[in-house]
Amino acid sequence: MKILIVSDTHGDNSNFYKVLKSVGKIDYLIHAGDIQGSSNEIINAADCPSYMVSGNNDFSFSLNKQELFSISGNTFLLVHGHKEGVYFGTDRLVYKAAELGANIVVYGHTHIPRVQYDEEYKIWIVNPGSLTYPRQAGHKPSYIILDINQEGTLEFNIYYLS
């Protein structure tokens, strides 16, 4: 199973279309917010079940600020991250995910890609970075592919557009 995880497209979907063309068929799309008016366009282009939340720049959307859902035996907590103070660390995210029974928390907001595993709480902490305004060294747009094999093993890979 192939899950595309993106965030912070900020209304410019050109790189999102490049990613879709590059990765081929996906089974799920997860978008961690700051979509800025193009949620329907993104959902239609992905052509698969999609999960999205609103970000701090999504002022007039009816998207929730938080989603809790399950895919293939994994429980995901999806937030943008601005309400959880992610610029100061991810402890609040981890506590919230643990409280809600999630083993994967996906967030955006920082525009910096990250995949980390919290050994104490047994929770994956995942940020795909930004497809539009990357902030990490090198400033390349980024996204994550989560592959879940038949045995249920999770493999997170960060990819960059050149």
Side-chain angles (χ1 to χ4, degrees):
M1 174 176 307
K2 186 191 299 184
I3 301 171
L4 173 60
I5 305 173
V6 300
S7 188
D8 296 280
T9 48
H10 290 277
D12 179 352
N13 296 326
S14 56
N15 283 338
F16 178 72
Y17 291 123
K18 289 177 188 175
V19 168
L20 284 179
K21 186 175 181 179
S22 171
V23 302
K25 175 80 174 113
I26 56 174
D27 297 297
Y28 290 91
L29 169 68
I30 298 173
H31 195 304
D34 277 357
I35 300 162
Q36 292 186 253
S38 59
S39 58
N40 288 334
E41 181 182 335
I42 287 172
I43 290 168
N44 290 335
D47 192 29
C48 65
S50 301
Y51 297 95
M52 300 178 160
V53 290
S54 65
N56 59 303
N57 289 296
D58 296 325
F59 303 111
S60 61
F61 292 143
S62 59
L63 295 171
N64 294 327
K65 294 192 182 314
Q66 172 181 304
E67 291 289 342
L68 189 68
F69 56 92
S70 293
I71 299 174
S72 191
N74 295 281
T75 302
F76 291 75
L77 171 61
L78 175 62
V79 297
H80 185 60
H82 62 295
K83 298 279 187 185
E84 292 76 19
V86 294
Y87 277 121
F88 305 104
T90 56
D91 289 349
R92 286 173 58 189
L93 279 179
V94 171
Y95 300 147
K96 185 180 221 177
E99 186 177 89
L100 295 171
N103 65 306
I104 302 169
V105 60
V106 176
Y107 71 102
H109 191 57
T110 65
H111 297 215
I112 298 170
R114 173 185 188 193
V115 174
Q116 181 179 350
Y117 187 69
D118 185 290
E119 291 286 343
E120 181 180 355
Y121 289 95
K122 309 292 187 231
I123 295 172
W124 286 99
I125 306 157
V126 180
N127 185 329
S130 173
L131 280 175
T132 305
Y133 301 117
R135 293 184 182 146
Q136 77 281 4
H139 299 281
K140 290 186 179 183
S142 59
Y143 61 96
I144 290 176
I145 296 289
L146 166 57
D147 286 306
I148 305 175
N149 69 18
Q150 290 182 343
E151 292 78 36
T153 302
L154 307 176
E155 184 179 335
F156 295 90
N157 288 294
I158 300 171
Y159 295 94
Y160 299 92
L161 294 177
S162 33

